[in-house]
Amino acid sequence: ETGVTQTPRHLVMGMTNKKSLKCEQHLGHNAMYWYKQSAKKPLELMFVYSLEERVENNSVPSRFSPECPNSSHLFLHLHTLQPEDSALYLCASSQATYSLASSYNEQFFGPGTRLTVL
Amino acid sequence: ELKVEQNPLFLSMQEGKNYTIYCNYSTTSDRLYWYRQDPGKSLESLFVLLSNGAVKQEGRLMASLDTKARLSTLHITAAVHDLSATYFCAVDSPLRTSYGKLTFGQGTILTVHP
C-alpha cells in the first residue's frame, strides 16, 4: 500500500449505530487530519493530530471521536449520528518541510469514506 | 477567522481556450496550495506556493501568489477535456507550526467541452 488509505470506502449506518473509520498513511508523516466534505459547504477541517497528540478540534460535535494510536493510524469513531452528518470524510497526512525562507505542510489525502446516515 | 473565496464557482470552457480561476483570502498568509478533485475521487496536490510572487507551472496550468493582494490565480492555457475537475485553493494559517491548518475555498467546478 502506498500513500494514504481509508476504510471502508462506503458506509451506511443508522442513527443509533456505532462505527469507526480508519485511516493509514504509508508516507512517514508526523501529522494526520480528518476533514468533512459535504455537498453544500467547503471542505471543513475537523481534527488534527501532530506527533500523535490532538492539536486542533474545530468545534466538532462529541458524536465524532478521533483516536490516533500511532503516527501511521488515525480513527474516527462515530456514534448516534444525524442525517446531516452524511458526507465524504477525508483523511490526510503531512510532514513539516523547512527551508531557509519558509516552512510548509503539504497535505496528502486519502480516497475518503462516503458516509450515509439514515 | 481566515476566509477563502474562489471565483468563479462554475466554469464551462471550450477546448483550446484560456481562463483564470481566482482565490482571495482574508488574512495574511504566505502559504497557499492548489488541489484538484475528480468526481468520486480524493484531492490531488497540484501546487505549493510559498512566497509573494511565487509562480509554478505544470503543463497547461500555472499558479501564482500575490500575498500583498491576498490573491492567488490558477491560469489554464489551451484547455483540454482532461482538465475537467473541481479545483480548490487552500490557505494555511500564518502561524508557524509543525502541522498545517488549511482553510479551503468553495471549489471551482471546471468543465471543458469540445
Side-chain angles (χ1 to χ4, degrees):
Chain A
E1 296 270 25
T2 58
V4 182
T5 58
Q6 290 185 243
T7 55
R9 296 292 309 278
H10 297 88
L11 178 61
V12 179
M13 59 187 287
M15 290 192 286
T16 58
N17 291 158
K18 288 184 180 182
K19 297 285 184 183
S20 296
L21 310 184
K22 178 183 174 183
C23 174
E24 184 173 359
Q25 60 98 357
H26 310 267
L27 300 168
H29 290 169
N30 62 6
M32 296 187 76
Y33 310 78
W34 280 117
Y35 287 88
K36 176 182 179 182
Q37 186 176 32
S38 46
K40 298 185 179 179
K41 289 186 178 181
L43 209 65
E44 299 172 82
L45 179 64
M46 299 175 72
F47 301 104
V48 182
Y49 277 82
S50 176
L51 300 172
E52 299 158 42
E53 181 181 338
R54 191 192 310 180
V55 292
E56 296 285 344
N57 177 349
N58 281 0
S59 304
V60 179
S62 60
R63 56 186 184 270
F64 295 91
S65 173
E67 179 190 0
C68 186
N70 55 60
S71 61
S72 299
H73 294 87
L74 185 65
F75 294 88
L76 188 62
H77 304 299
L78 317 171
H79 64 98
T80 59
L81 293 192
Q82 304 298 311
E84 61 263 28
D85 297 323
S86 298
L88 181 68
Y89 288 85
L90 292 164
C91 173
S93 70
S94 72
Q95 176 75 32
T97 304
Y98 299 95
S99 67
L100 286 176
S102 184
S103 66
Y104 65 96
N105 298 276
E106 186 180 10
Q107 295 182 24
F108 295 84
F109 286 80
T113 295
R114 174 69 62 187
L115 173 66
T116 303
V117 182
L118 301 176
Chain B
E1 181 191 349
L2 176 58
K3 294 188 178 176
V4 181
E5 289 192 0
Q6 283 181 239
N7 71 83
L9 300 184
F10 300 92
L11 179 54
S12 180
M13 294 178 66
Q14 264 193 314
E15 281 190 330
K17 298 291 187 182
N18 304 334
Y19 210 86
T20 300
I21 299 170
Y22 297 89
C23 174
N24 291 273
Y25 55 98
S26 61
T27 60
T28 303
S29 176
D30 59 357
R31 293 173 298 174
L32 188 141
Y33 307 82
W34 283 96
Y35 287 89
R36 167 183 172 144
Q37 186 177 37
D38 291 297
K41 301 282 181 74
S42 189
L43 277 72
E44 173 193 352
S45 179
L46 293 176
F47 299 109
V48 179
L49 301 169
L50 298 177
S51 60
N52 188 40
V55 177
K56 295 274 184 78
Q57 182 161 7
E58 181 73 35
R60 300 174 188 275
L61 300 178
M62 184 173 71
S64 66
L65 178 61
D66 182 341
T67 58
K68 294 180 182 175
R70 298 176 188 168
L71 171 69
S72 179
T73 60
L74 180 66
H75 187 72
I76 303 153
T77 302
V80 293
H81 180 70
D82 286 352
L83 290 179
S84 297
T86 301
Y87 293 85
F88 293 93
C89 64
V91 180
D92 206 344
S93 163
L95 299 176
R96 288 294 189 259
T97 59
S98 60
Y99 58 92
K101 189 174 179 183
L102 299 185
T103 301
F104 280 79
Q106 311 97 307
T108 297
I109 300 174
L110 171 64
T111 305
V112 181
H113 54 88

